Amino acid sequence: MLKYFLCVFAALLVVTSQHIVVEKIYNHKFLPRGMDVSSAKSLKSEVLLPPQPERIMRPTLRPRSWRHKDIREPLILGLPEFLFFMIIRKALTISIVLLLMGSFYKLSLVWFNSEREKERLQKDKLNAELKFLKSQVNPHFLFNSLNSLYVLAHKKSEKTEESVLKLSQIMRYMLYDTNVEFVPLSKEIEYLHNYIDLQKLRLPEFLEISFLVEGVTDSLRIEPMLLIPFIENAFKHGISYSESCKINILINIKGNQLILETENKVFQQKTANNQGGIGLVNVKERLNMLYNNKHELAILKDEIIFKVKLQLQLNKI
């Protein structure tokens, strides 16, 4: 900041010196002959205009320098007092304009760098949370899935091998396949299918789960694990072991637009140990950063029903 004001002060000195030199060397040459400076300053500005071309041809008109006998007021740096202060005023005006322009540029640069750094830190925070999610499998989900697999294996169910395969695919996707900025939408939806199928193993049979995908997904890509928080939230709050309940999940693809709708009944949770996922707060931040002007999120919640509708403009592969 000190260097900045020193540069401004130096610029002020340069501008002032330049004006003094120009006025001292050139302006006095165009005063009408026989008129002193004190008389010229009281006249209109046209008197001080350069002489007309026909007057230049007169031998009597020639450049003249300041002479002491023509001046009736004190000199400052070889210039009349009124002219010196006029130069100072002009130099100050130009310097103030330069100062304002420089200050605006400096403040704009500081603001831009601050916003860029703030955005970088926010993105790093979200990436760190996403990496943390990828680095571990939800222990509650894994524990429940292994218990369900144990029951299937004990019963020698035909679903055991398929369930083990689904769990393996989920873990592979979370730990390895999501280490990129975008993934094919088909892989993300396959991950959701496997997640829901494993959730069904531990849930009561009277629980109704509807998961429907409409449209073509092969040509689109999406930020990995962007949809799972909404699915996790539906299972977290929409399950009851004593009452009838239903979870509806719909994914509709129209062109490059994805529409996700979830609906579930709200049940009061007696325990708070089912944490699952990075949460709706985090996914809202991710949506604002990654799909700022390309998404619409509507959440409707009351004492009975919880609904989510997400519209997302995706990129093509």
Side-chain angles (χ1 to χ4, degrees), residues 19 25 41 54 69 143 228 232 234 242 265 277 311:
H19 275 72
I25 294 178
K41 74 174 183 176
E54 60 270 14
K69 64 181 182 179
F143 177 77
I228 188 62
E232 287 184 333
S242 59
K265 190 175 180 180
Q311 300 183 52

Side-chain angles (χ1 to χ4, degrees), residues 36 85 167:
D36 59 21
F85 286 108
L167 181 59

Side-chain angles (χ1 to χ4, degrees), residues 81-98:
E81 183 179 9
F82 88 95
L83 187 58
F84 175 79
F85 286 108
M86 182 179 67
I87 294 172
I88 295 297
R89 184 178 61 182
K90 291 171 62 178
L92 285 174
T93 301
I94 295 177
S95 299
I96 291 174
V97 172
L98 292 176

Side-chain angles (χ1 to χ4, degrees), residues 27 30-32 35 39-52 82 86:
N27 286 7
F30 300 114
L31 286 174
M35 180 179 293
S39 301
K41 74 174 183 176
S42 63
L43 297 178
K44 295 183 179 180
S45 58
E46 56 264 18
V47 176
L48 301 178
L49 292 174
Q52 299 299 322
F82 88 95
M86 182 179 67

Side-chain angles (χ1 to χ4, degrees), residues 222-256:
I222 189 173
E223 174 79 9
M225 305 185 73
L226 189 65
L227 305 179
I228 188 62
F230 301 105
I231 311 300
E232 287 184 333
N233 191 74
F235 279 97
K236 177 180 178 181
H237 299 286
I239 295 176
S240 173
Y241 291 90
S242 59
E243 302 179 37
S244 62
C245 49
K246 183 178 181 179
I247 296 177
N248 293 320
I249 303 170
L250 171 64
I251 295 179
N252 193 357
I253 311 297
K254 297 180 180 179
N256 66 332

